[in-house]
Amino acid sequence: MQEGSPLSLPSRLTAQVRMITLLLLVAFWATGCLSSRSIPYIDLTKLEPAAPAVAPIAGPSPLRIAVSPSLSSRDTVGSYRLIAEHIAIQTGQPTELIYRRNNAETQALLSSQGADLAFFSTGSFLTYSGTEPIEPLVIPELENGPFYQALIIVPQDSRIENLAGLAGKRFAFSDAASFSGYLFPVYLLKLRQQTPEKFFGQSLFSQNHAKSLQSVAMNLLDGAAIDSIAYDHARRNNPELAARVRIIHSSEPIGVGPVVIRQTLPAQQKELLKTIFLNMHYNQDMRKVLRDLMFERFSVVPARLYDAPRQILQEMKQAP
């Protein structure tokens, strides 16, 4: 090509691709998605109340159901919508499904009375400190009962064999209110007298476990903290993706997060909702919906189910 001649079409496309890639990287870093800064404290008592749900012109107000799933919204929104519709049919009360990006936003929604019922993670339930009192209603059971594990994963072809190998690397948490996706790995670092800011080279919050798993599988990150529910879901529905990650650490069994409800709801309504959840798996259509979420059924919350994670949180509060 002669000096000063215009770029050929392939050359111009290559230049455009490079420019777009550069702009995306700049935007990604500018938003602070990838950061080693400390995690901001979220005071649920000072959040502005959520806008009230718009009720139908006639008839009862809807039961507002909040969800911030550990799996991707694409994989779960249809299933949670069917659960909401099932509850509406069984109660004769309309329902409103409210999706939130992460656990902290769901906590805030309940605290401001913006929701009546929520699917909580273990960490959400144990760290909730909102002004609106809540109580556990039921708990989802998985194939092995009401338990899951916190996992630390790396790419399959990575040479990293343990947590120590992730020092100075790129790492993903899910969100700050997740037990398996944040609190447990921070606890492991505390046992080593380390913090995420000092230990990892870079860290980010992916907002859910499925995104963290995918990022590690694509070698975009060196490691991530996820729960076994997301990992098992990938093994069932996308085995090629699951095969591209490797588990380097597993926790002891942890109690699955409960479905919680506002304490101020009428006792009769709470009992009716509990009955609907406990019998949901007897409905053939709903049984498939539950399986899509990795649930087998809902059951009564066992006593002392959260003793182990509560103990870990207590130890984390103690001075090093």
Side-chain angles (χ1 to χ4, degrees), residues 213-239:
L213 189 152
Q214 186 175 21
S215 296
V216 173
M218 297 174 63
N219 276 283
L220 299 176
L221 297 169
D222 301 304
I226 67 170
D227 63 26
S228 57
I229 301 173
Y231 179 72
D232 290 339
H233 184 271
R235 287 201 305 171
R236 176 191 293 179
N237 298 284
N238 196 346

Side-chain angles (χ1 to χ4, degrees), residues 10 25 42 80 96 98 111 188 207 213 216 273 294-295 306:
L25 286 173
I42 300 175
Y80 281 112
E96 178 185 356
I98 307 171
S111 178
L188 293 179
Q207 303 299 332
L213 189 152
V216 173
L273 289 169
M294 306 300 293
F295 300 160
Y306 301 111

Side-chain angles (χ1 to χ4, degrees), residues 133-310:
I134 62 171
E135 62 185 66
L137 184 70
V138 293
I139 189 170
E141 287 197 22
L142 311 178
E143 288 185 350
N144 297 321
F147 299 98
Y148 72 101
Q149 290 177 287
L151 308 177
I152 306 294
I153 61 171
V154 298
Q156 179 61 44
D157 57 1
S158 172
R159 295 183 179 180
I160 298 172
E161 297 294 337
N162 50 44
L163 182 61
L166 285 166
K169 303 296 185 181
R170 301 163 300 170
F171 192 82
F173 300 107
S174 57
D175 71 74
S178 170
F179 187 83
S180 57
Y182 179 68
L183 298 171
F184 181 73
V186 170
Y187 170 72
L188 293 179
L189 292 177
K190 181 180 175 65
L191 294 178
R192 293 161 173 78
Q193 299 183 337
Q194 289 282 358
T195 63
E197 295 78 19
K198 294 181 179 179
F199 183 77
F200 298 115
Q202 298 165 343
S203 63
L204 62 86
F205 285 114
S206 68
Q207 303 299 332
N208 68 56
H209 299 274
K211 289 181 181 178
S212 294
L213 189 152
Q214 186 175 21
S215 296
V216 173
M218 297 174 63
N219 276 283
L220 299 176
L221 297 169
D222 301 304
I226 67 170
D227 63 26
S228 57
I229 301 173
Y231 179 72
D232 290 339
H233 184 271
R235 287 201 305 171
R236 176 191 293 179
N237 298 284
N238 196 346
E240 293 183 0
L241 181 70
R244 297 182 65 179
V245 303
R246 178 165 47 84
I247 300 170
I248 62 170
H249 186 91
S250 303
S251 73
E252 295 296 322
I254 302 166
V256 177
V259 176
V260 301
I261 197 165
R262 292 197 295 116
Q263 281 187 1
T264 52
L265 291 182
Q268 185 176 2
Q269 183 182 21
K270 289 189 283 190
E271 284 302 314
L272 175 58
L273 289 169
K274 178 182 289 188
T275 300
I276 292 171
F277 275 103
L278 294 179
N279 290 280
M280 197 173 291
H281 64 284
Y282 291 118
N283 181 296
Q284 183 175 354
D285 293 332
M286 293 308 300
R287 189 157 56 243
K288 181 182 182 305
V289 172
L290 296 179
R291 288 285 292 171
D292 288 341
L293 295 172
M294 306 300 293
F295 300 160
E296 294 293 323
R297 64 183 63 81
F298 291 98
S299 61
V300 177
V301 181
R304 305 177 66 92
L305 178 66
Y306 301 111
D307 282 0
R310 276 198 181 101

Side-chain angles (χ1 to χ4, degrees), residues 1 33 87 140 168 242 317 319:
M1 183 170 57
C33 292
I87 293 173
K317 293 178 182 178

Side-chain angles (χ1 to χ4, degrees), residues 7-186:
L7 291 173
S8 64
L9 181 58
S11 298
R12 284 183 304 206
L13 289 175
T14 300
Q16 290 174 356
V17 169
R18 289 176 177 170
M19 179 59 69
I20 292 173
T21 302
L22 178 59
L23 290 174
L24 289 174
L25 286 173
V26 170
F28 181 75
W29 283 88
T31 56
C33 292
L34 196 57
S35 174
S36 59
R37 292 177 296 177
S38 59
I39 308 307
Y41 170 71
I42 300 175
D43 187 351
L44 295 179
T45 65
K46 296 182 180 179
L47 292 172
E48 295 182 3
V54 179
I57 296 177
S61 299
L63 179 76
R64 298 162 300 173
I65 302 173
V67 179
S68 56
S70 64
L71 306 175
S72 69
S73 58
R74 179 191 62 188
D75 293 332
T76 59
V77 64
S79 298
Y80 281 112
R81 182 178 292 120
L82 289 172
I83 289 177
E85 291 175 358
H86 178 76
I87 293 173
I89 292 172
Q90 296 295 313
T91 61
Q93 178 184 8
T95 55
E96 178 185 356
L97 184 63
I98 307 171
Y99 252 80
R100 285 294 180 261
R101 293 176 302 173
N102 54 51
N103 293 311
E105 290 185 2
T106 305
Q107 288 177 321
L109 194 65
L110 273 172
S111 178
S112 62
Q113 298 185 8
D116 306 302
L117 179 149
F119 288 80
F120 258 17
S121 70
T122 304
S124 293
F125 179 61
L126 296 180
T127 62
Y128 179 80
S129 59
T131 56
E132 179 69 14
I134 62 171
E135 62 185 66
L137 184 70
V138 293
I139 189 170
E141 287 197 22
L142 311 178
E143 288 185 350
N144 297 321
F147 299 98
Y148 72 101
Q149 290 177 287
L151 308 177
I152 306 294
I153 61 171
V154 298
Q156 179 61 44
D157 57 1
S158 172
R159 295 183 179 180
I160 298 172
E161 297 294 337
N162 50 44
L163 182 61
L166 285 166
K169 303 296 185 181
R170 301 163 300 170
F171 192 82
F173 300 107
S174 57
D175 71 74
S178 170
F179 187 83
S180 57
Y182 179 68
L183 298 171
F184 181 73
V186 170

